[in-house]
Amino acid sequence: MLREKRALERELALFDGVDEALGEAAVLLELAGEAGEAHAEDGEAAREEAAQQLERAARALEAAELQSLLGGEHDSGAAILSINAGAGGTDAADWAEMLLRMYARWAEGRGYRLEILDAQLGEEAGLRSVTATLRGDFAFGALKVEEGVHRLVRISPFDAQHRRHTAFASVSVFPELDDSIEVEIEEKDLRIDTYRSGGAGGQHVNKTDSAVRITHEPTGIVVQCQNERSQHKNRAQAMKVLRARLYEHLRREQEARKAALSGDKKAIDFGSQIRSYTLHPAQRVKDHRTGAEAGNAQAVLDGGIEPFIRAALLQRAGSR
């Protein structure tokens, strides 16, 4: 009931924002007309302010439209984000870290809170893998369309001959489940290992085996957490991630069975390449699912992924 109440409050706030902006714009336009030629300066100022209010209303309408596309069971909740370096060696590890920064900047712009649960450093630079939570309204609903393989083409900063390299990293997104969602996990199916948390060195490195790695043996799913200093807290966080991954694993298995029974020939492939980021010879980001493109790749890497998310959500809505 509380979740439904919050969802309704968010919808009402969006509509109230649009209504308020349109009302203020109408008043300002009326004032501009009344000012007439006798007070040209006042009229121009009122028109400029009205234009700003109309722009505000347009942004609120876009937000309302985007929210209307997020009606999935877990769309309104938090997300668990996992990024893993793929082919490309050190460039791939660096690319995984660049992607984490991109999502962190995007989350910051939306007012979300990002918390890193586990990060495995690359051998020379970057990250081999990282898992984080993003908490905020509709975090999972928006971020779920980012799942897939992301490809980077650039002049490698790790190549002394300054050659162009291609690197890959995979992005996975899971809903963070609340306690009302039951996922059956038997203790006998778990292998739990503890190890010393990694770090940059110095006084803050943990001196005890507080990091926790949990392997769910029937599925082979492995999760780990080293963010907290307490082994107990790291285990609780790791179990939360495991619940989310098992829930998604079971859901995808069900989808595969349904597709097989219905004779659907579409591949249920969650590892397909979804987007390319080209930094050389020219800057361009292209989404291979929707055809959406951006010429300023750096702006996208600075968190400007909203147009790509919007296009993917609209495409999904249209294919239902």
Side-chain angles (χ1 to χ4, degrees):
M1 287 296 290
L2 184 60
R3 183 186 295 178
E4 291 174 5
K5 180 176 178 287
R6 286 175 181 166
L8 287 171
E9 286 173 348
R10 283 192 293 264
E11 286 185 24
L12 287 171
L14 279 171
F15 286 114
D16 287 344
V18 174
D19 185 57
E20 182 185 345
L22 289 174
E24 289 182 14
V27 170
L28 288 164
L29 286 171
E30 189 177 340
L31 288 172
E34 288 174 359
E37 306 225 344
H39 304 282
E41 253 180 62
D42 292 342
E44 184 59 30
R47 277 191 291 275
E48 285 180 10
E49 199 173 340
Q52 291 174 3
Q53 290 299 331
L54 286 171
E55 190 177 332
R56 177 186 152 204
R59 287 197 301 269
L61 278 171
E62 283 185 3
E65 182 188 25
L66 192 63
Q67 189 166 309
S68 72
L69 301 173
L70 303 176
E73 184 180 1
H74 305 291
D75 282 2
S76 63
I80 295 172
L81 171 71
S82 178
I83 304 172
N84 290 277
T90 301
D91 278 284
D94 190 49
W95 177 221
E97 187 170 28
M98 290 169 66
L99 284 172
L100 175 64
R101 177 185 177 275
M102 181 181 80
Y103 290 121
R105 294 293 295 272
W106 170 77
E108 183 184 351
R110 274 183 159 237
Y112 291 170
R113 182 164 59 89
L114 183 145
E115 179 186 2
I116 293 175
L117 301 178
D118 181 71
Q120 301 298 313
L121 300 178
E123 290 182 10
E124 295 179 46
L127 297 166
R128 285 190 291 114
S129 65
V130 61
T131 302
T133 57
L134 284 88
R135 293 190 173 90
D137 291 344
F138 294 94
F140 174 68
L143 204 60
K144 66 184 179 183
V145 295
E146 288 296 293
E147 182 161 272
V149 173
H150 295 244
R151 174 177 177 260
L152 173 70
V153 180
R154 65 170 178 177
I155 299 295
S156 172
F158 307 103
D159 187 335
Q161 297 179 35
H162 305 293
R163 290 171 296 189
R164 193 168 77 156
H165 284 240
T166 300
F168 297 86
S170 65
V171 173
S172 300
V173 184
F174 313 97
E176 185 180 62
L177 304 178
D178 59 37
D179 293 335
S180 66
I181 307 294
E182 289 188 15
V183 179
E184 188 177 341
I185 302 176
E186 295 192 32
E187 195 71 25
K188 65 181 178 62
D189 292 335
L190 302 180
R191 186 174 77 246
I192 301 174
D193 303 303
T194 58
Y195 58 98
R196 188 162 297 181
S197 298
Q203 62 179 338
H204 299 297
V205 173
N206 286 348
K207 301 298 191 294
T208 59
D209 293 346
S210 60
V212 174
R213 181 186 298 111
I214 301 177
T215 305
H216 185 255
E217 295 189 326
T219 60
I221 292 174
V222 179
V223 298
Q224 50 197 33
C225 183
Q226 59 174 328
N227 184 54
E228 304 288 347
R229 290 187 176 276
S230 158
Q231 186 183 116
H232 176 74
K233 288 181 179 177
N234 280 328
R235 174 172 172 152
Q237 287 278 27
M239 284 299 294
K240 185 177 285 190
V241 176
L242 178 61
R243 286 179 69 238
R245 290 194 59 179
L246 278 173
Y247 179 87
E248 195 67 6
H249 175 79
L250 293 170
R251 185 188 67 78
R252 290 174 180 177
E253 279 191 339
Q254 287 175 351
E255 283 190 2
R257 284 195 293 270
K258 284 179 185 176
L261 288 171
S262 64
D264 191 346
K265 300 301 181 184
K266 290 181 182 177
I268 299 178
D269 183 4
F270 295 93
S272 58
Q273 182 174 305
I274 65 164
R275 194 176 301 145
S276 291
Y277 306 71
T278 304
L279 305 186
H280 183 85
Q283 284 204 10
R284 187 179 73 152
V285 179
K286 180 172 182 179
D287 194 292
H288 302 295
R289 302 162 300 175
T290 64
E293 291 190 40
N296 187 344
Q298 190 55 53
V300 175
L301 293 172
D302 284 339
I305 59 174
E306 203 73 23
F308 295 100
I309 289 175
R310 182 183 183 80
L313 287 171
L314 285 168
Q315 184 187 64
R316 283 194 179 190
S319 64
R320 286 173 188 166

